[in-house]
C-alpha cells in the first residue's frame, strides 16, 4: 500500500486543506521540475514512476500546470527527496492518511513511522503505536 501525499504550491502557509485560500495557490509544472531534479523517471503514457535507492514515487502527468499534485510513495526514504524539493521550491506537503501537513524541518515527526501505524490500524494489524490507534479511533467516530 502506498503512502499518499499532496504537494502544494501556495503563497499561504497551509495548516489544513480545509483552510486553503484558492486565490493564493500558484500553478506550476511539477512534472518538469521532477524531471530536472530526479535522475530516473520511468514514463508510460501519462503515468510516471520516480525510481530511487530503496524507494519509488508514482504520479500522473497531465502536462498542465497545477497548484498541487498527488503522489504515491513506496519506501521510507521516498519522503526525503520530496522534502528537499519542497524546501527549495517553497512547497508544502500534506499527508493524506494522517490528515496533517508534513513538518519539512522534521519530516520524521509525522512521517513514515506514523504512516506505518496508520496502515496497521486500517489493516487491523497489531500496532506498537498505541497512541496512534487511539487517535485514529477518535477520528473515525
Amino acid at each position: 500500500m502506498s503512502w499518499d501525499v499532496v504537494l502544494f504550491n501556495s503563497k499561504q502557509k497551509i495548516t489544513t486543506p480545509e483552510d486553503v485560500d484558492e486565490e493564493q495557490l500558484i500553478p506550476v509544472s511539477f512534472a518538469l521540475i521532477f524531471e530536472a531534479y530526479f535522475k530516473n523517471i520511468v514514463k508510460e503514457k501519462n503515468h510516471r514512476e520516480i525510481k530511487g535507492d530503496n524507494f519509488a514515487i508514482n504520479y500522473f502527468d497531465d502536462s498542465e500546470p497545477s497548484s498541487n499534485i498527488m503522489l504515491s510513495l513506496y519506501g521510507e526514504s521516498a519522503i526525503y527527496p520530496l522534502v528537499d524539493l519542497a524546501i527549495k521550491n517553497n512547497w508544502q506537503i500534506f499527508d493524506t492518511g494522517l490528515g496533517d501537513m508534513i513538518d519539512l524541518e522534521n519530516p520524521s515527526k509525522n512521517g513514515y513511522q506514523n504512516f506505518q501505524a496508520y496502515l496497521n490500524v486500517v489493516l487491523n494489524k497489531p500496532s506498537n503505536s498505541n497512541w496512534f490507534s487511539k487517535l485514529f479511533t477518535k477520528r473515525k467516530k
Side-chain angles (χ1 to χ4, degrees), residues 4-21:
D4 297 329
V5 300
V6 178
L7 280 181
F8 281 96
N9 189 29
S10 176
K11 295 180 217 173
Q12 170 191 17
K13 173 74 170 147
I14 300 170
T15 54
T16 65
E18 295 81 26
D19 297 332
V20 171
D21 179 353

Side-chain angles (χ1 to χ4, degrees), residues 18-33:
E18 295 81 26
D19 297 332
V20 171
D21 179 353
E22 291 189 25
E23 291 183 16
Q24 295 198 46
L25 295 172
I26 306 165
V28 64
S29 179
F30 287 103
L32 287 176
I33 295 169

Side-chain angles (χ1 to χ4, degrees), residues 3 8 20 23 28 33 40 45 60 83 88-89 111 127 141:
W3 176 17
F8 281 96
V20 171
E23 291 183 16
V28 64
I33 295 169
N40 190 6
K45 296 184 182 180
F60 289 90
V83 165
K88 287 178 181 176
N89 290 285
S127 173
K141 291 180 181 178

Side-chain angles (χ1 to χ4, degrees), residues 41-49 58-61:
I41 299 178
V42 177
K43 299 177 182 181
E44 187 175 317
K45 296 184 182 180
N46 68 338
H47 180 261
R48 303 288 183 266
E49 181 175 38
N58 290 301
Y59 64 98
F60 289 90
D61 176 15

Side-chain angles (χ1 to χ4, degrees), residues 26-127:
I26 306 165
V28 64
S29 179
F30 287 103
L32 287 176
I33 295 169
F34 292 162
E35 287 179 19
Y37 184 79
F38 292 103
K39 305 281 186 261
N40 190 6
I41 299 178
V42 177
K43 299 177 182 181
E44 187 175 317
K45 296 184 182 180
N46 68 338
H47 180 261
R48 303 288 183 266
E49 181 175 38
I50 299 167
K51 292 191 172 218
D53 294 332
N54 300 316
F55 74 85
I57 301 170
N58 290 301
Y59 64 98
F60 289 90
D61 176 15
D62 64 4
S63 301
E64 295 291 325
S66 66
S67 60
N68 60 75
I69 187 169
M70 172 78 80
L71 305 168
S72 297
L73 284 55
Y74 299 88
E76 181 174 2
S77 57
I79 194 66
Y80 299 109
L82 287 179
V83 165
D84 183 51
L85 203 51
I87 290 170
K88 287 178 181 176
N89 290 285
N90 202 28
W91 296 341
Q92 298 168 68
I93 305 174
F94 176 73
D95 183 329
T96 64
L98 297 177
D100 285 326
M101 301 303 288
I102 299 270
D103 180 350
L104 299 180
E105 299 302 318
N106 186 10
S108 62
K109 176 181 168 189
N110 54 349
Y112 192 77
Q113 295 298 330
N114 288 343
F115 166 69
Q116 288 298 311
Y118 165 77
L119 189 58
N120 287 335
V121 170
V122 170
L123 298 175
N124 293 318
K125 291 183 180 179
S127 173

